[in-house]
Amino acid sequence: LVEIQEVLTPAIDLSNLQASSTIILLLQAPFENVKILGSPTISVDLSLSQFEITKTLAELPLKIKNAAGQHCLVSPSSYTLIIRGMADSLKQVSPAGLELVLDVRDKQPGDYEVPLACPTGLPEKIEILEIIPPKVQIHISEVATQSANPEK
């Protein structure tokens, strides 16, 4: 018995494991001349735990709410969002479900530097690590209107 350092079991396939569970495995004698006394099985408790991961969503569009008669140029016109959360929660995040709206309806024509806020559409347990860029430049101008009765 002094020579026996370990007793093996068949390999455990974890690829289809969906939840923590207990499995029963057959022990394998380390040498041909060794016999396992008592139960030839062992109970193995498998515990699954989730872990946090980071996800980067690039080239997300910005949406502008502007007043009638306003023309807006936004630079840059998209943003990158870096988020962290449990893997299951991050699977629920879709770029199509996120919305970051810049409301400039109350602004006069001119140039503005506008900080980007948190987009809507993120699950509760998701942490925003960074929004890139943190601010965008918006140029607002009036749209020229044509007269219905041009002068002759």
Side-chain angles (χ1 to χ4, degrees):
L1 289 177
V2 175
E3 295 179 25
I4 298 175
Q5 299 293 320
E6 61 185 20
V7 176
L8 301 177
T9 67
I12 301 172
D13 181 8
L14 301 175
S15 63
N16 293 323
L17 192 63
Q18 297 294 320
S20 298
S21 62
T22 300
I23 59 173
I24 307 297
L25 296 172
L26 186 61
L27 294 172
Q28 299 172 341
F31 305 109
E32 287 181 28
N33 60 348
V34 172
K35 183 176 180 182
I36 296 176
L37 299 176
S39 175
T41 61
I42 186 170
S43 174
V44 178
D45 293 326
L46 300 172
S47 178
L48 286 184
S49 60
Q50 289 195 17
F51 55 94
E52 285 190 332
I53 59 174
T54 300
K55 184 175 186 177
T56 300
L57 302 167
E59 300 296 320
L60 298 171
L62 293 166
K63 295 185 180 178
I64 303 292
K65 274 190 183 178
N66 57 317
Q70 277 185 340
H71 180 272
C72 297
L73 289 174
V74 181
S75 179
S77 60
S78 65
Y79 68 101
T80 296
L81 185 65
I82 303 173
I83 54 179
R84 178 172 56 205
M86 296 297 183
D88 286 350
S89 295
L90 285 180
K91 285 180 188 175
Q92 299 172 16
V93 177
S94 161
L98 299 176
E99 185 173 70
L100 201 156
V101 179
L102 303 172
D103 189 349
V104 296
R105 292 177 291 185
D106 63 343
K107 303 276 189 207
Q108 297 298 317
D111 294 313
Y112 299 90
E113 185 175 73
V114 179
L116 297 182
C118 299
T120 59
L122 281 174
E124 262 185 44
K125 297 179 181 179
I126 299 297
E127 178 186 1
I128 296 177
L129 298 178
E130 190 172 6
I131 299 174
I132 304 168
K135 298 177 184 178
V136 293
Q137 303 296 320
I138 300 178
H139 175 76
I140 301 173
S141 59
E142 290 182 3
V143 176
T145 57
Q146 294 182 351
S147 168
N149 296 321
E151 294 182 22
K152 295 183 181 183

